[in-house]
Amino acid sequence: MVSLGMLQGKNDIGLEGSGVVRRVGSDVTHLHEGDQVVFLSSPAFSTRIVIPGALVVTIPAELPLDQAATIGCAYTTAVYCLLSVGRLQKDQV
């Protein structure tokens, strides 16, 4: 969408990604070097990126990184649509 000019004021490519943790800040306790992760960050189209730990979660070892990279935007779009557009409330099915 960025490449097509559909996001105003956005020039960086990539809003989500996956990879392997190489270093972890001292305040981050849920991640370890070598963990496979998905993240939300921009720009995400890079070989190296520094991201706040709150935007990173580990993935199961059997989930390939290329498939994991597509989870972030799809999931957050679904949550947004259910809660904000559909006004889904607690205990609704």
Side-chain angles (χ1 to χ4, degrees):
M1 291 173 31
V2 172
S3 298
L4 295 174
M6 297 172 68
L7 298 176
Q8 295 295 325
K10 193 86 176 108
N11 297 320
D12 299 323
I13 297 177
L15 301 172
E16 61 191 343
S18 64
V20 178
V21 174
R22 294 294 175 219
R23 293 187 183 154
V24 180
S26 59
D27 292 338
V28 179
T29 59
H30 70 288
L31 299 171
H32 303 90
E33 289 183 18
D35 285 349
Q36 292 189 76
V37 296
V38 293
F39 59 86
L40 295 174
S41 184
S42 181
F45 194 68
S46 179
T47 56
R48 293 181 185 199
I49 189 167
V50 177
I51 308 165
L55 300 177
V56 182
V57 295
T58 58
I59 60 171
E62 59 273 4
L63 181 60
L65 289 174
D66 61 337
Q67 292 178 18
T70 65
I71 293 172
C73 285
Y75 177 78
T76 54
T77 300
V79 170
Y80 170 79
C81 289
L82 289 170
L83 300 180
S84 298
V85 178
R87 300 177 197 256
L88 184 67
Q89 300 293 315
K90 185 178 180 179
D91 297 325
Q92 283 184 316
V93 177

